[in-house]
Amino acid sequence: MVGTDAVGPSEEVGWDEDGAWRTAAWRSGSGARAPRRVAVADDRMAADLAYRLVCEGTALLWRGDYHGARQLLAALGRRVDRKPPKQGATPRESFHLYRQARTRRARVLGMLLVPLETAADGSWAVPLRRAPRVGEACVEAYGPPPGPVGALTLVSLRELQGVLGAHEWRRKGVPIEALGGARIHPRHGVFSPVRGEYVDLVARAPLPRAAGARSGPGPGEEAGPVPEAGADGGGAPRGEDPGRLTAFDVGTGTGVLAAVLARRGVGRVTATDVGEQALACARENVARLDVAQAVEVVRADLFPSREAGRADLIVCNPPWLPAKPTSVLEQAVYDPDSRMLRGFLTGLGERLAPAGEGWLILSDLAEHLGLRPREQLLEWISAAGLRVAGRLDARPEHARATDPAAPLHAARAAETTSLWRLRHVEEAVVS
């Protein structure tokens, strides 16, 4: 039975069930608004009917067997995928059509809801037959359940599956080759470092000089700038004592890059982020990897406070694509109007020590999709009073780069991730 339009604030959802009006709190990690229409569904509902209802904007509150809900979600996914994204006349148009299709898919699949309730022991629980234990995973993602025992919260099954998956990532961890196989444990809503090429670039780029170190070329070093195109600055660090170096890791996420720098011997690393989950995640990983003496994790939008002074090395791996994210996790990939990228470049010069370097780690996928030309990036670098001292490149190894059937394959197959070594204009010509 399709419920009446819900009333009240967007944080609450209402529906008619067994002739009574019921309400529950609404939770969405992607920021989706509470559905206005809700129908109660169970194992008797046919997938075609369910698909028609969700496409019309009616959410389905599942009251049957939990595994039946999973089967229905899979059936809805198959129906959505019958219409693959259209190909545009240009890579840019194809990207936007792909994003539209993914947004619609997420919206449709997000309309299958399951209840969460406050259990007698004060933890989260799913009051459905054969439901898994979700208490620990939900506390990690949402915090303690609100309300008294029995209080209901509705969440999309798709989001709950993401929460459970993130819990497994956090429990098992992600092995990082640049950390000698040690594991990073991501949290829900924090991008997992499964693409290792950007971590490896930070592990092998030559470290800059510490402030006050020699200013001319040393033995085996040539005066003059390192070529921009295809430059590979691998090899031994130029800094004779990395323990004297100070570094900022801007937008640290899991803290993986800060940990790599600390393991390379950088004496003091200040890691910043704005998200509470990211900050907690980075602190956990820093402590687990035993680099807490060298790494401080602080809340900041881009650079740490002025009291932190200037750094010999400032590292940033901003989101790659200038587009609007649709969830917290997508904020690690999509950067509206290149806000973080431009903010990093604009503020980098005044926070770098005189002989310091900024390391911008960036995929060129946006260039292959026609979203941001290389010339634009170089103009922003120049306008910030910076020059390219060198560049290290790495080809991605993820499956989409080699799968011809993957969406946007041509652009993904051509993608390169680069570490741009940026310095003050005067430093770029004497290092």
Side-chain angles (χ1 to χ4, degrees):
M1 178 170 57
V2 177
T4 312
D5 284 359
V7 295
S10 61
E11 296 83 7
E12 186 176 77
V13 60
W15 71 99
D16 186 37
E17 185 172 3
D18 296 330
W21 182 253
R22 303 193 64 183
T23 61
W26 169 249
R27 186 174 291 276
S28 171
S30 65
R33 297 181 66 87
R36 298 182 64 240
R37 296 191 303 274
V38 176
V40 175
D42 58 26
D43 305 272
R44 296 169 294 180
M45 179 172 283
D48 285 339
L49 173 59
Y51 184 60
R52 178 172 64 80
L53 288 173
V54 296
C55 287
E56 292 172 348
T58 298
L60 303 177
L61 172 57
W62 191 258
R63 290 300 201 184
D65 180 84
Y66 180 84
H67 291 282
R70 293 178 55 194
Q71 292 173 350
L72 178 58
L73 184 65
L76 294 175
R78 289 192 295 271
R79 284 159 174 76
V80 174
D81 294 339
R82 287 172 182 170
K83 294 183 178 180
K86 297 179 181 178
Q87 292 296 310
T90 65
R92 181 187 182 96
E93 185 178 343
S94 293
F95 168 74
H96 288 300
L97 291 171
Y98 168 74
R99 287 281 287 161
Q100 290 173 9
R102 297 297 295 178
T103 299
R104 178 180 180 273
R105 188 180 197 276
R107 183 179 69 250
V108 169
L109 299 187
M111 297 292 274
L112 180 57
L113 314 181
V114 292
L116 292 172
E117 71 174 6
T118 304
D121 61 358
S123 67
W124 295 95
V126 176
L128 299 175
R129 295 190 305 275
R130 295 201 296 171
R133 295 180 181 273
V134 302
E136 188 176 355
C138 286
V139 167
E140 290 174 1
Y142 303 141
V149 173
L152 283 182
T153 297
L154 301 191
V155 64
S156 79
L157 174 59
R158 191 166 183 258
E159 173 164 324
L160 181 61
Q161 287 181 329
V163 167
L164 296 174
H167 173 66
E168 286 303 302
W169 275 112
R170 186 184 182 193
R171 185 177 66 83
K172 296 179 180 178
V174 180
I176 305 297
E177 184 178 349
L179 293 173
R183 293 176 179 267
I184 286 288
H185 296 260
R187 279 189 169 212
H188 177 258
V190 183
F191 196 73
S192 176
V194 291
R195 288 188 55 168
E197 67 268 14
Y198 77 97
V199 182
D200 293 338
L201 287 171
V202 171
R204 67 185 177 91
L207 294 171
R209 297 185 305 271
R214 55 187 175 80
S215 59
E221 295 179 342
E222 296 181 1
V226 179
E228 181 270 329
D232 187 339
R238 294 188 312 277
E240 296 173 356
D241 180 10
R244 297 173 55 193
L245 291 171
T246 59
F248 299 157
D249 175 21
V250 175
T252 193
T254 61
V256 61
L257 297 185
V260 168
L261 293 175
R263 286 283 182 91
R264 292 192 64 183
V266 174
R268 181 165 59 86
V269 182
T270 303
T272 71
D273 214 298
V274 292
E276 292 300 330
Q277 285 280 46
L279 292 168
C281 182
R283 290 181 180 122
E284 287 178 355
N285 285 310
V286 163
R288 184 179 287 110
L289 294 169
D290 197 26
V291 293
Q293 289 185 339
V295 180
E296 180 185 14
V297 181
V298 301
R299 181 182 177 87
D301 187 0
L302 295 178
F303 302 96
S305 66
R306 297 288 177 179
E307 287 73 15
R310 298 189 176 201
D312 302 303
L313 174 62
I314 304 180
V315 178
C316 183
N317 176 36
W320 308 320
L321 299 176
K324 182 180 179 181
T326 59
S327 69
V328 174
L329 194 59
E330 281 195 349
Q331 291 175 3
V333 180
Y334 298 104
D335 182 18
D337 198 30
S338 301
R339 173 196 170 273
M340 184 174 180
L341 171 59
R342 292 186 294 112
F344 172 71
L345 293 173
T346 300
L348 178 60
E350 62 178 335
R351 300 308 302 273
L352 271 179
E357 281 190 4
W359 288 357
L360 171 65
I361 304 101
L362 192 66
S363 160
D364 65 356
L365 184 59
E367 298 172 18
H368 298 294
L369 292 172
L371 302 176
R372 183 179 57 232
R374 172 65 59 90
E375 293 74 21
Q376 180 69 81
L377 175 62
L378 296 177
E379 287 176 9
W380 288 340
I381 292 172
S382 178
L386 303 166
R387 291 291 181 268
V388 178
R391 199 185 77 215
L392 286 75
D393 296 331
R395 297 300 301 273
E397 298 178 354
H398 58 84
R400 290 184 178 183
T402 56
D403 181 5
L408 310 173
H409 170 69
R412 295 185 188 279
E415 179 186 5
T416 297
T417 300
S418 299
L419 184 150
W420 298 79
R421 294 171 45 219
L422 308 176
R423 301 187 206 164
H424 294 291
V425 172
E426 60 274 16
E427 283 295 327
V429 298
V430 298
S431 66

